[in-house]
Amino acid sequence: PSPTPTRIDLVDKPGAAQSVFAIGEPGPPRDTPDYYALSLMNTILGGLFQSRLNHDIREVRGWSYGVRSSFAFGHGPGAFQAGGGIITAKTDSALVAFMEHLRGARGAVPFTADEMAQGGESLVQSVPRRFASVDGTAAAVATLFTQGLPDSYYRDYAAKIRALKPADLTRAAQQHLDLDHLQIVIVGDRSVIEEPLAKTGIAPIAHLDVEGNPTDAK
């Protein structure tokens, strides 16, 4: 379906001690030319424990046990998703922080040399682990066929990651993170979180039941 303007879908969970976030949109398929740039960009944004999202929202602010982001690359569009559990009282503040970090990845906060090095080495060093067992090796080889990758994929992976520049990541984020057409799902105690969320002005709020169906809640 055609993308719709960013909206907050609020699912009421009375008495919930935390609000669970799922912020996402359709992402690109695995064969996108931006695969390597998006992989490194996301690693810095929300893939590592020391990622921008987790460091800020968990380590600095103490609002969560952990938040992250990911791309689910596939043969067709795979979802981009960011989220995690947030203490109820900081639901609105955390949403503001999520949006700030998404804007940051699109260029508001340039990627640093330290981030590029740490994120890049994390991805490169993950490759040998894929071959640490017979099952892992079989899965790694199968991926070449299921995703239509060249036989040289694993041999060339490190060089392609290390060749990336900060501008490559920013450009990929600008193309694939569309902040005007996000789907923001938040499950939490509506009586506590709805008014603060509305005051952020980030997006209009709609109400869903636990099955994802619109409700008549006012």
Side-chain angles (χ1 to χ4, degrees):
S2 299
T4 57
T6 296
R7 184 182 74 203
I8 299 171
D9 287 329
L10 180 57
V11 181
D12 191 18
K13 181 70 173 176
Q18 66 176 359
S19 300
V20 177
F21 282 57
I23 303 170
E25 62 185 323
R30 175 58 184 81
D31 62 2
T32 174
D34 292 326
Y35 173 78
Y36 296 98
L38 286 174
S39 295
L40 182 51
M41 183 278 293
N42 181 74
T43 297
I44 296 169
L45 173 64
L48 290 173
F49 182 84
Q50 306 91 340
S51 68
R52 290 181 174 187
L53 282 170
N54 199 58
H55 176 75
D56 181 29
I57 294 175
R58 173 193 159 111
E59 298 297 294
V60 175
R61 303 179 188 269
W63 296 342
S64 173
Y65 285 116
V67 295
R68 66 187 310 273
S69 63
S70 63
F71 282 90
F73 300 104
H75 281 291
F80 166 77
Q81 179 171 312
I86 305 293
I87 59 174
T88 295
K90 296 299 181 181
T91 302
D92 57 326
S93 300
L95 181 57
V96 171
F98 269 106
M99 297 302 292
E100 287 177 347
H101 285 295
L102 292 174
R103 285 192 291 271
R106 285 173 49 87
V109 181
F111 294 102
T112 67
D114 285 346
E115 288 179 321
M116 296 288 293
Q118 183 183 48
E121 287 309 299
S122 175
L123 289 174
V124 169
Q125 292 172 21
S126 72
V127 173
R129 292 198 297 271
R130 301 186 187 190
F131 299 89
S133 68
V134 173
D135 286 347
T137 300
V141 173
T143 297
L144 299 179
F145 293 92
T146 59
Q147 299 293 344
L149 302 175
D151 292 346
S152 61
Y153 171 71
Y154 294 110
R155 185 179 66 237
D156 299 340
Y157 185 85
K160 289 183 180 295
I161 291 294
R162 289 171 176 158
L164 293 167
K165 306 298 182 186
D168 299 322
L169 277 60
T170 299
R171 179 197 53 74
Q174 289 173 348
Q175 181 171 345
H176 298 286
L177 295 181
D178 183 356
L179 305 193
D180 293 326
H181 298 92
L182 291 173
Q183 199 76 17
I184 302 171
V185 179
I186 301 177
V187 181
D189 190 335
R190 180 190 170 201
S191 67
V192 177
I193 67 177
E194 181 169 23
E195 183 176 350
L197 283 172
K199 288 181 178 178
T200 66
I202 288 173
I205 297 175
H207 302 95
L208 302 180
D209 64 19
V210 295
E211 301 297 333
N213 300 308
T215 73
D216 296 325
K218 301 296 183 182

